[in-house]
Amino acid sequence: MPRLADLAELVRAPAALSVPGDVVAGAAYAGTLGRRTPALAAASVLLYWAGMAANDWADRRLDAVERPERPIPSGRVAPAAAFGLAAGLTAAGVALATAAGGRRAAAVAVPLAATVWGYDLAAKSTPAGPAVMATCRGLDVLLGATGGRVLRAVPAALTVAAHTWTVTALSRREVSGADAALPLRTLVGTALVAASAAVPPSPVRARPGRPRVVARATTTDVPDRALRPGPGVAVALPALLAGWYAARYGAAQARAAADPCAGRVRAAVGAGITGLPALQGALAARAGAGLLGLAVAAAAPLGGRLARKVSPT
């Protein structure tokens, strides 16, 4: 039996801190923050861990050459155990999402799980790899929006997907190193992503002659006062969190552009993974859930510290 520490390394456990914020941001945009949001976030984490285990199972022969210290090539985790863990986590993630959000959540969780496996087994080494991984993260955001106005969460999903594209593009060169043009391109993408999260949303104006309909609160709704700061803070907070994300991830990309060796590129990938909660927090704050956005962003420094013990890449 593999040790728990080896399984944690296999699934890159600390990197899961970058996952719940997807669901929170989607729920904030769709207006569905409530009691089921934590369960959907937990389902998202299970699917993420499944993807990490499946990734190592699919790459076991390549890792034997490039990363012999990983759990499977080092012999600490058997390939069959890694595959079984990935399958079990996938089933558990889809089941939990369905139990929490019903058919609408299942309609997103099943394609999300299929896209995760499609990336690991087929798309990862192809030119479509970054786009497929970006699709995974976009669907993860929409998972949190199920049960509400999903279309409202599409901008947040596209923002997280764009960030994911930059990280995935860099990750393809974290062993061999890259030319300086790649981190420069992803740095431009990061700037655009941060800007999209920082700009305050336009106020919703009622149509002339039609009264504005306000949905009646339910017992599962999170009270606005628990989530929304004052007007001034509501405008500044998304910009502050987006700036923090851009500085954290952008600085690592700038260092990789100056010296695009494998170590610098790998560090930029790690910064992109551990810095994602700051972007998710900015999106949640932009949707009005400022205090919750701060809580999500707090996972960024924690993830950075844990990444020193278990690599997120």
Side-chain angles (χ1 to χ4, degrees):
M1 292 292 293
R3 298 181 307 161
L4 183 60
D6 296 329
L7 294 178
E9 184 179 350
L10 176 73
V11 301
R12 299 163 178 83
L17 289 172
S18 72
V19 179
D22 288 342
V23 170
V24 170
Y29 267 73
T32 60
L33 283 169
R35 294 179 182 176
R36 71 184 203 150
T37 304
L40 291 175
S44 175
V45 169
L46 293 175
L47 293 174
Y48 182 86
W49 280 340
M52 293 296 100
N55 175 78
D56 271 26
W57 178 82
D59 285 354
R60 61 193 184 279
R61 294 183 179 85
L62 179 62
D63 284 346
V65 176
E66 294 183 346
R67 299 181 179 184
E69 74 282 358
R70 291 293 301 161
I72 295 178
S74 67
R76 290 176 287 136
V77 177
F83 184 86
L85 179 63
L89 288 170
T90 300
V94 172
L96 180 56
T98 303
R103 293 181 179 178
R104 295 187 68 178
V108 176
V110 171
L112 171 57
T115 307
V116 168
W117 279 85
Y119 173 82
D120 288 334
L121 300 182
K124 181 178 180 180
S125 300
T126 71
V132 174
M133 180 55 73
T135 301
C136 291
R137 281 288 189 168
L139 288 172
D140 203 32
V141 174
L142 296 181
L143 179 62
T146 54
R149 300 182 179 182
V150 177
L151 289 179
R152 287 189 174 182
V154 170
L158 291 175
T159 299
V160 173
H163 162 83
T164 305
W165 187 93
T166 68
V167 176
T168 308
L170 286 169
S171 72
R172 293 155 73 92
R173 296 291 181 266
E174 64 180 353
V175 173
S176 61
D179 60 86
L182 175 60
L184 285 176
R185 288 196 299 268
T186 60
L187 183 57
V188 172
T190 297
L192 294 174
V193 166
S196 69
V199 177
S202 301
V204 178
R205 298 180 179 178
R207 295 181 181 179
R210 299 183 64 180
R212 182 180 178 185
V213 178
V214 180
R216 183 174 298 173
T218 68
T219 57
T220 60
D221 291 335
V222 178
D224 284 350
R225 286 179 297 177
L227 300 174
R228 301 180 185 274
V233 176
V235 173
L237 187 56
L240 290 173
L241 293 177
W244 183 27
Y245 152 78
R248 183 186 182 95
Y249 183 28
Q253 292 172 89
R255 288 191 291 269
D259 179 11
C261 65
R264 289 283 181 90
V265 173
R266 189 157 50 247
V269 173
I273 295 172
T274 60
L276 177 55
L279 174 63
Q280 296 161 337
L283 291 170
R286 188 175 186 270
L291 299 182
L292 190 55
L294 280 174
V296 169
L302 177 59
R305 287 194 294 269
L306 292 176
R308 298 169 188 168
K309 298 182 178 180
V310 178
S311 174
T313 69

